[in-house]
Amino acid sequence: MNTIQLISDSFIENKCNFKQLIERLKEGFASTTIQVPMRHHHDYPNPPEDKDSTLLLMPAFNPGVDAGVKIVTVSPNNGKYNLPAIQGTYIYLDAHKGNIKAILDAKSLTTKRTASTSALASSFLSREDSSSLLMIGTGALAKNLIQAHASVRPITKVYVWGRTLEKAQAICDALSNATYSCTAITNIEDKISEVDIISCATLSPTPLVFGKWLKEGQHLDLVGAYKKDTREADDEAVLRSSVFLDTYQGGLKESGDILIPLNTGIITKEDIKADLFELCNGSKKGRTSETEITYFKSVGHALEDLVAASYFYNEFISNK
Protein backbone atom coordinates (compact mmCIF):
# COMPACT_ATOMS: atom_id res chain seq x y z
CA MET A 1 0.00 0.00 0.00
CA ASN A 2 1.30 3.44 -0.91
CA THR A 3 2.36 5.66 1.98
CA ILE A 4 0.38 8.86 2.42
CA GLN A 5 2.81 11.75 2.57
CA LEU A 6 2.19 14.48 5.15
CA ILE A 7 3.37 17.85 3.81
CA SER A 8 3.58 20.57 6.44
CA ASP A 9 3.21 24.32 6.27
CA SER A 10 6.91 24.65 7.10
CA PHE A 11 7.92 22.55 4.09
CA ILE A 12 5.68 24.62 1.80
CA GLU A 13 7.08 27.86 3.24
CA ASN A 14 10.68 26.77 2.77
CA LYS A 15 10.42 25.06 -0.61
CA CYS A 16 8.31 27.47 -2.63
CA ASN A 17 9.98 28.82 -5.76
CA PHE A 18 7.51 31.44 -6.96
CA LYS A 19 8.80 31.51 -10.54
CA GLN A 20 8.30 27.76 -10.86
CA LEU A 21 4.86 27.77 -9.21
CA ILE A 22 3.69 30.66 -11.39
CA GLU A 23 4.77 28.75 -14.50
CA ARG A 24 2.88 25.66 -13.32
CA LEU A 25 -0.23 27.78 -12.75
CA LYS A 26 0.09 29.27 -16.22
CA GLU A 27 0.19 25.74 -17.68
CA GLY A 28 -2.81 24.78 -15.52
CA PHE A 29 -4.97 27.70 -16.65
CA ALA A 30 -4.00 27.02 -20.28
CA SER A 31 -4.94 23.34 -19.93
CA THR A 32 -8.21 21.99 -21.26
CA THR A 33 -8.19 18.84 -19.13
CA ILE A 34 -8.53 20.09 -15.54
CA GLN A 35 -12.14 20.00 -14.37
CA VAL A 36 -13.39 22.20 -11.52
CA PRO A 37 -16.98 21.91 -10.26
CA MET A 38 -18.53 24.68 -8.20
CA ARG A 39 -17.38 24.56 -4.62
CA HIS A 40 -19.69 23.14 -1.97
CA HIS A 41 -20.77 25.58 0.75
CA HIS A 42 -22.55 24.15 3.78
CA ASP A 43 -23.58 26.11 6.87
CA TYR A 44 -24.23 23.91 9.87
CA PRO A 45 -25.36 24.56 13.46
CA ASN A 46 -22.75 24.99 16.17
CA PRO A 47 -24.85 24.78 19.37
CA PRO A 48 -22.05 25.55 21.88
CA GLU A 49 -21.54 28.90 20.12
CA ASP A 50 -25.19 29.57 19.21
CA LYS A 51 -23.87 30.52 15.77
CA ASP A 52 -23.51 28.62 12.52
CA SER A 53 -20.17 27.33 11.31
CA THR A 54 -19.35 26.64 7.65
CA LEU A 55 -17.85 23.71 5.77
CA LEU A 56 -16.35 24.42 2.34
CA LEU A 57 -15.33 21.67 -0.11
CA MET A 58 -13.29 22.67 -3.16
CA PRO A 59 -12.60 19.78 -5.57
CA ALA A 60 -10.64 19.65 -8.81
CA PHE A 61 -9.78 16.78 -11.17
CA ASN A 62 -7.15 16.22 -13.84
CA PRO A 63 -8.61 12.95 -15.22
CA GLY A 64 -6.21 10.03 -15.21
CA VAL A 65 -3.51 12.12 -13.52
CA ASP A 66 -4.38 13.66 -10.18
CA ALA A 67 -7.23 15.12 -8.18
CA GLY A 68 -7.76 16.86 -4.89
CA VAL A 69 -10.14 18.57 -2.55
CA LYS A 70 -9.58 21.37 -0.07
CA ILE A 71 -11.64 21.03 3.08
CA VAL A 72 -12.08 24.27 4.99
CA THR A 73 -14.04 25.07 8.13
CA VAL A 74 -15.04 28.55 9.23
CA SER A 75 -15.82 28.94 12.94
CA PRO A 76 -16.37 32.67 13.58
CA ASN A 77 -15.96 32.54 17.38
CA ASN A 78 -12.63 30.73 17.40
CA GLY A 79 -10.74 33.82 18.51
CA LYS A 80 -11.78 33.23 22.11
CA TYR A 81 -10.11 29.79 21.95
CA ASN A 82 -6.93 31.28 20.44
CA LEU A 83 -7.63 29.40 17.23
CA PRO A 84 -7.95 30.75 13.68
CA ALA A 85 -11.49 31.18 12.40
CA ILE A 86 -10.51 29.51 9.11
CA GLN A 87 -8.80 26.11 9.18
CA GLY A 88 -8.20 23.67 6.38
CA THR A 89 -6.56 20.61 4.87
CA TYR A 90 -5.85 19.58 1.29
CA ILE A 91 -6.22 15.93 0.24
CA TYR A 92 -4.18 15.16 -2.89
CA LEU A 93 -5.16 12.01 -4.82
CA ASP A 94 -4.12 9.76 -7.67
CA ALA A 95 -6.96 10.30 -10.16
CA HIS A 96 -6.30 6.93 -11.84
CA LYS A 97 -6.33 4.55 -8.88
CA GLY A 98 -8.04 6.78 -6.34
CA ASN A 99 -5.49 6.45 -3.54
CA ILE A 100 -4.50 9.41 -1.38
CA LYS A 101 -0.99 10.57 -2.29
CA ALA A 102 -0.60 13.34 0.27
CA ILE A 103 -2.27 15.48 2.89
CA LEU A 104 -1.13 19.09 2.91
CA ASP A 105 -1.75 21.85 5.43
CA ALA A 106 -3.98 24.30 3.61
CA LYS A 107 -2.79 27.60 5.11
CA SER A 108 0.53 27.95 3.32
CA LEU A 109 -0.73 26.11 0.24
CA THR A 110 -3.47 28.73 -0.12
CA THR A 111 -1.27 31.76 0.48
CA LYS A 112 1.38 30.56 -1.97
CA ARG A 113 -1.06 29.72 -4.75
CA THR A 114 -3.04 32.95 -4.22
CA ALA A 115 0.05 35.13 -4.36
CA SER A 116 1.35 33.24 -7.39
CA THR A 117 -1.97 33.69 -9.19
CA SER A 118 -1.79 37.45 -8.67
CA ALA A 119 1.75 37.47 -10.02
CA LEU A 120 0.66 35.37 -12.99
CA ALA A 121 -2.00 37.97 -13.76
CA SER A 122 0.59 40.73 -13.33
CA SER A 123 2.78 39.06 -15.96
CA PHE A 124 0.01 39.79 -18.47
CA LEU A 125 -1.34 43.04 -17.04
CA SER A 126 1.39 45.16 -15.44
CA ARG A 127 3.98 47.02 -17.48
CA GLU A 128 7.13 44.95 -18.01
CA ASP A 129 9.28 47.70 -16.48
CA SER A 130 7.20 47.97 -13.29
CA SER A 131 9.69 48.67 -10.49
CA SER A 132 7.60 49.83 -7.52
CA LEU A 133 4.85 48.18 -5.50
CA LEU A 134 2.43 49.33 -2.81
CA MET A 135 1.20 46.53 -0.56
CA ILE A 136 -2.06 47.40 1.23
CA GLY A 137 -2.65 44.94 4.06
CA THR A 138 -0.41 43.11 6.51
CA GLY A 139 -2.02 39.67 6.81
CA ALA A 140 -0.54 36.30 5.88
CA LEU A 141 -0.76 37.12 2.18
CA ALA A 142 1.19 40.39 2.26
CA LYS A 143 4.74 39.01 2.34
CA ASN A 144 3.85 36.34 -0.23
CA LEU A 145 2.25 38.83 -2.63
CA ILE A 146 5.31 41.05 -2.48
CA GLN A 147 7.66 38.13 -3.15
CA ALA A 148 5.50 36.75 -5.97
CA HIS A 149 5.13 40.11 -7.75
CA ALA A 150 8.88 40.68 -7.43
CA SER A 151 9.52 37.36 -9.14
CA VAL A 152 7.85 38.51 -12.38
CA ARG A 153 8.73 42.21 -12.44
CA PRO A 154 11.97 44.15 -11.67
CA ILE A 155 10.73 45.53 -8.35
CA THR A 156 13.22 47.80 -6.55
CA LYS A 157 10.93 49.67 -4.13
CA VAL A 158 8.11 48.31 -1.95
CA TYR A 159 5.83 50.28 0.35
CA VAL A 160 3.60 48.62 2.94
CA TRP A 161 0.50 50.06 4.59
CA GLY A 162 -1.44 48.42 7.39
CA ARG A 163 -3.91 49.33 10.11
CA THR A 164 -0.91 49.93 12.36
CA LEU A 165 2.57 51.07 11.44
CA GLU A 166 3.97 48.28 13.62
CA LYS A 167 2.34 45.58 11.49
CA ALA A 168 3.55 47.23 8.28
CA GLN A 169 7.06 47.46 9.70
CA ALA A 170 6.94 43.76 10.66
CA ILE A 171 6.36 42.86 7.00
CA CYS A 172 9.32 45.02 5.98
CA ASP A 173 11.50 43.46 8.68
CA ALA A 174 10.61 39.99 7.38
CA LEU A 175 11.86 41.09 3.94
CA SER A 176 15.03 42.80 5.15
CA ASN A 177 17.23 40.49 3.05
CA ALA A 178 15.31 41.06 -0.18
CA THR A 179 16.85 42.66 -3.26
CA TYR A 180 14.35 45.55 -3.05
CA SER A 181 13.87 48.20 -0.38
CA CYS A 182 10.78 47.92 1.83
CA THR A 183 9.29 50.92 3.64
CA ALA A 184 6.34 51.04 6.04
CA ILE A 185 3.99 53.99 5.44
CA THR A 186 1.14 55.54 7.43
CA ASN A 187 -0.94 56.98 4.58
CA ILE A 188 -2.00 55.18 1.38
CA GLU A 189 -2.49 58.44 -0.48
CA ASP A 190 1.17 59.40 0.01
CA LYS A 191 2.44 56.67 -2.33
CA ILE A 192 -0.45 55.21 -4.31
CA SER A 193 -0.11 57.64 -7.22
CA GLU A 194 3.64 57.00 -7.49
CA VAL A 195 3.88 53.21 -7.72
CA ASP A 196 3.55 50.92 -10.74
CA ILE A 197 1.66 48.07 -9.01
CA ILE A 198 -0.87 48.25 -6.17
CA SER A 199 -1.68 44.98 -4.40
CA CYS A 200 -4.49 44.98 -1.87
CA ALA A 201 -5.30 42.08 0.46
CA THR A 202 -7.50 43.21 3.34
CA LEU A 203 -10.77 42.48 5.10
CA SER A 204 -11.92 46.07 4.66
CA PRO A 205 -15.68 46.29 3.98
CA THR A 206 -15.28 49.66 2.22
CA PRO A 207 -12.85 50.92 -0.44
CA LEU A 208 -9.26 51.73 0.40
CA VAL A 209 -8.26 52.39 -3.22
CA PHE A 210 -9.88 55.37 -4.91
CA GLY A 211 -9.84 55.98 -8.64
CA LYS A 212 -8.95 59.66 -8.19
CA TRP A 213 -5.53 58.55 -6.89
CA LEU A 214 -4.64 56.25 -9.80
CA LYS A 215 -2.24 57.20 -12.58
CA GLU A 216 -1.93 56.03 -16.16
CA GLY A 217 -0.13 52.73 -16.65
CA GLN A 218 -0.73 51.29 -13.17
CA HIS A 219 -1.77 47.75 -12.36
CA LEU A 220 -4.24 47.11 -9.53
CA ASP A 221 -4.28 43.66 -7.89
CA LEU A 222 -7.30 43.10 -5.59
CA VAL A 223 -7.21 39.96 -3.45
CA GLY A 224 -9.32 40.74 -0.38
CA ALA A 225 -13.02 41.69 -0.12
CA TYR A 226 -14.20 38.13 -0.62
CA LYS A 227 -17.81 38.85 0.40
CA LYS A 228 -20.55 40.15 -1.88
CA ASP A 229 -21.05 43.33 0.15
CA THR A 230 -17.39 44.29 0.64
CA ARG A 231 -14.93 45.97 -1.69
CA GLU A 232 -11.39 47.34 -1.76
CA ALA A 233 -11.69 49.75 -4.72
CA ASP A 234 -14.34 52.35 -5.52
CA ASP A 235 -16.47 52.88 -8.65
CA GLU A 236 -14.07 55.41 -10.16
CA ALA A 237 -11.23 52.90 -9.97
CA VAL A 238 -13.36 50.40 -11.90
CA LEU A 239 -14.45 52.97 -14.48
CA ARG A 240 -10.88 54.11 -15.16
CA SER A 241 -9.58 50.59 -15.61
CA SER A 242 -9.60 47.59 -17.92
CA VAL A 243 -11.11 44.86 -15.71
CA PHE A 244 -9.87 41.25 -15.56
CA LEU A 245 -10.79 38.27 -13.34
CA ASP A 246 -9.13 35.07 -12.21
CA THR A 247 -12.27 33.17 -13.31
CA TYR A 248 -15.71 34.18 -14.48
CA GLN A 249 -17.12 31.33 -12.39
CA GLY A 250 -16.16 32.90 -9.09
CA GLY A 251 -15.39 36.48 -9.99
CA LEU A 252 -18.91 37.29 -11.15
CA LYS A 253 -20.53 35.82 -8.04
CA GLU A 254 -18.39 36.17 -4.94
CA SER A 255 -16.80 39.61 -4.52
CA GLY A 256 -18.28 43.05 -4.04
CA ASP A 257 -15.41 44.55 -6.07
CA ILE A 258 -17.15 43.17 -9.16
CA LEU A 259 -20.71 42.46 -7.99
CA ILE A 260 -21.49 45.91 -6.60
CA PRO A 261 -20.53 47.86 -9.76
CA LEU A 262 -22.30 45.20 -11.86
CA ASN A 263 -25.50 45.44 -9.83
CA THR A 264 -25.52 49.24 -9.85
CA GLY A 265 -24.89 49.46 -13.60
CA ILE A 266 -21.43 51.01 -13.30
CA ILE A 267 -20.14 48.21 -15.54
CA THR A 268 -21.65 45.29 -17.45
CA LYS A 269 -20.35 41.74 -17.87
CA GLU A 270 -19.28 42.74 -21.38
CA ASP A 271 -16.89 45.31 -19.89
CA ILE A 272 -14.77 42.55 -18.33
CA LYS A 273 -11.89 41.98 -20.71
CA ALA A 274 -10.78 38.41 -19.87
CA ASP A 275 -10.13 35.85 -17.18
CA LEU A 276 -6.94 33.90 -16.54
CA PHE A 277 -8.06 30.95 -18.66
CA GLU A 278 -8.30 33.27 -21.68
CA LEU A 279 -5.07 35.10 -20.91
CA CYS A 280 -3.08 31.90 -20.42
CA ASN A 281 -4.43 30.10 -23.51
CA GLY A 282 -3.83 33.19 -25.63
CA SER A 283 -7.41 33.65 -26.78
CA LYS A 284 -7.53 37.18 -25.29
CA LYS A 285 -4.93 39.84 -24.62
CA GLY A 286 -3.94 41.51 -21.38
CA ARG A 287 -2.45 45.00 -21.31
CA THR A 288 -2.66 46.71 -24.69
CA SER A 289 -0.99 50.08 -23.98
CA GLU A 290 1.53 51.72 -21.67
CA THR A 291 -1.10 54.17 -20.39
CA GLU A 292 -3.87 51.64 -19.66
CA ILE A 293 -4.83 51.06 -16.01
CA THR A 294 -5.44 47.36 -15.40
CA TYR A 295 -7.64 45.97 -12.62
CA PHE A 296 -7.39 42.31 -11.59
CA LYS A 297 -9.83 40.73 -9.15
CA SER A 298 -8.88 37.40 -7.54
CA VAL A 299 -11.36 35.29 -5.57
CA GLY A 300 -9.51 31.97 -5.77
CA HIS A 301 -10.17 28.77 -7.70
CA ALA A 302 -9.74 25.08 -6.96
CA LEU A 303 -7.55 24.64 -10.06
CA GLU A 304 -4.93 26.73 -8.24
CA ASP A 305 -5.03 24.40 -5.23
CA LEU A 306 -4.62 21.27 -7.37
CA VAL A 307 -1.72 22.71 -9.35
CA ALA A 308 -0.01 23.92 -6.18
CA ALA A 309 -0.55 20.59 -4.41
CA SER A 310 1.01 18.77 -7.38
CA TYR A 311 3.96 21.17 -7.36
CA PHE A 312 4.65 20.78 -3.63
CA TYR A 313 4.10 17.01 -3.72
CA ASN A 314 6.73 16.64 -6.43
CA GLU A 315 9.10 18.92 -4.49
CA PHE A 316 8.51 16.83 -1.36
CA ILE A 317 9.21 13.53 -3.13
CA SER A 318 12.35 14.88 -4.80
CA ASN A 319 13.67 16.16 -1.46
CA LYS A 320 13.18 12.88 0.42
Side-chain angles (χ1 to χ4, degrees), residues 131-135 146 149 155 157-159 195 197-199:
S131 62
S132 55
L133 167 71
L134 170 61
M135 182 70 236
I146 294 167
H149 277 292
I155 302 295
K157 295 180 181 179
V158 174
Y159 303 96
V195 298
I197 299 172
I198 302 154
S199 185

Side-chain angles (χ1 to χ4, degrees), residues 93-138:
L93 304 140
D94 182 318
H96 175 205
K97 299 175 183 176
N99 56 290
I100 297 174
K101 298 173 74 172
I103 297 174
L104 300 89
D105 284 341
K107 180 181 177 182
S108 289
L109 178 76
T110 303
T111 56
K112 298 300 183 189
R113 64 79 154 158
T114 302
S116 297
T117 299
S118 281
L120 173 60
S122 180
S123 71
F124 291 101
L125 302 177
S126 66
R127 295 196 324 270
E128 291 186 8
D129 63 351
S130 295
S131 62
S132 55
L133 167 71
L134 170 61
M135 182 70 236
I136 300 174
T138 55

Side-chain angles (χ1 to χ4, degrees), residues 11 52 54 60 90 93 164 226 238 266 285 297 315 318 320:
F11 178 87
D52 280 359
T54 302
Y90 195 84
L93 304 140
T164 70
Y226 63 94
V238 178
I266 297 297
K285 292 184 178 180
K297 179 59 199 175
E315 286 294 304
S318 67
K320 288 191 72 175

